[in-house]
Amino acid sequence: MKVMATFWLIFFLGLVRGSYQVCETWTSINETIYSQTYVTITDPTANTVRPLGFKTAVYRFEGERPCKTVAPTDGNMRHIEVKWELEQAGRLCVTNNANNQNRCGTSRQFSLCTVVPGSQSSIEYRFFCEGDGCESGDKLFWYRFVVESPMENGMYNENWCDTRDDRYPGSLVRLPTNFIPPTQATTPRNKASSVASNVLVMMATLLIAAALH
Ligand SMILES: *[C@@H]1O[C@H](CO)[C@@H](O)[C@H](O)[C@H]1NC(C)=O
């Protein structure tokens, strides 16, 4: 009897875990302090570095449908931006518990900016996959939610979505693996300096080649 009860309990818990995963609370980072550091999605520090405020998640064909609770989301005509960048181009969808509208992306990057659906104080977003390109496999991706902050008068900017930055974690500058970041790592390096450093690396290589010759 006990064995059967345990079996069913485990089976039931498995079902609950598989289909109705608890929504994890989304923690946003103030945009003024986003990390501009390039980090690969498989890097163990990816979720502590949080490039441009993104975090990583995985959709598993066999089970995981990551779910995130975003709050606060109430406010008249407030906006929300949802973005993701997959490790590999493919299909990924998202739905929410406010209007249950499904939105899917088919390339590597996806961005959606709208007025917050419904008028709930929090919204659950669930990532899933349905349709062509969802037949198998796991999908690793960066994702981010940004909820518009009220202006000084407490209102929301109707053009907020047009003001959004179009970058993704993959847009950040990739530094060579042996590069030691300067202490002031907040200023992105411009094209000129990366050309200059490329020239330096080339010259060093030539010098070493000449010395070994
Ligand atoms: C982010 O930080 C800046 C500077 O400290 C501050 O002015 C702004 O209100 C913050 N935004 C949010 C949404 O907390």
Side-chain angles (χ1 to χ4, degrees):
M1 249 345 245
K2 255 189 187 149
V3 174
M4 274 313 271
T6 312
F7 172 81
W8 284 112
L9 183 67
I10 289 171
F11 180 77
F12 180 72
L13 286 179
L15 267 188
V16 169
R17 214 184 93 77
S19 323
Y20 307 101
Q21 281 146 13
V22 183
C23 270
E24 181 191 56
T25 302
W26 163 254
T27 315
S28 59
I29 295 182
N30 187 315
E31 298 184 67
T32 58
I33 56 163
Y34 277 169
S35 167
Q36 309 286 328
T37 306
Y38 176 83
V39 56
T40 62
I41 192 166
T42 49
D43 192 299
T45 66
N47 281 318
T48 43
V49 174
R50 295 192 57 178
L52 301 175
F54 282 76
K55 287 189 82 173
T56 72
V58 61
Y59 157 85
R60 291 189 202 284
F61 178 68
E62 302 289 354
E64 280 174 69
R65 311 280 182 268
C67 181
K68 311 290 162 187
T69 304
V70 183
T73 48
D74 40 356
N76 187 30
M77 299 301 279
R78 190 174 197 170
H79 296 88
I80 184 164
E81 180 195 61
V82 182
K83 285 179 99 170
W84 70 69
E85 183 178 60
L86 286 148
E87 184 186 26
Q88 278 161 1
R91 189 174 175 88
L92 186 69
C93 305
V94 70
T95 189
N96 68 74
N97 70 348
N99 65 3
N100 297 304
Q101 200 171 55
N102 296 350
R103 300 300 284 258
C104 300
T106 52
S107 54
R108 219 179 130 222
Q109 298 171 337
F110 173 89
S111 153
L112 171 68
C113 190
T114 60
V115 166
V116 172
S119 52
Q120 305 169 193
S121 58
S122 75
I123 302 183
E124 289 178 8
Y125 281 88
R126 190 176 292 277
F127 296 97
F128 69 105
C129 194
E130 226 169 72
D132 262 5
C134 301
E135 296 81 9
S136 63
D138 298 346
K139 293 164 190 271
L140 183 59
F141 60 98
W142 294 104
Y143 70 96
R144 187 185 72 189
F145 299 95
V146 179
V147 184
E148 181 183 7
S149 300
M151 297 184 287
E152 267 169 32
N153 61 6
M155 311 276 278
Y156 296 97
N157 173 7
E158 61 177 323
N159 299 317
W160 186 76
C161 289
D162 300 334
T163 69
R164 302 302 302 155
D165 185 320
D166 61 2
R167 290 179 307 160
Y168 293 84
S171 322
L172 296 170
V173 182
R174 291 162 203 247
L175 302 173
T177 49
N178 59 355
F179 180 85
I180 297 156
T183 43
Q184 294 287 321
T186 43
T187 342
R189 300 193 314 151
N190 60 27
K191 285 223 166 64
S193 75
S194 71
V195 167
S197 66
N198 280 346
V199 168
L200 274 179
V201 169
M202 233 172 72
M203 276 171 57
T205 313
L206 285 176
L207 278 176
I208 292 166
L212 292 176
H213 191 72

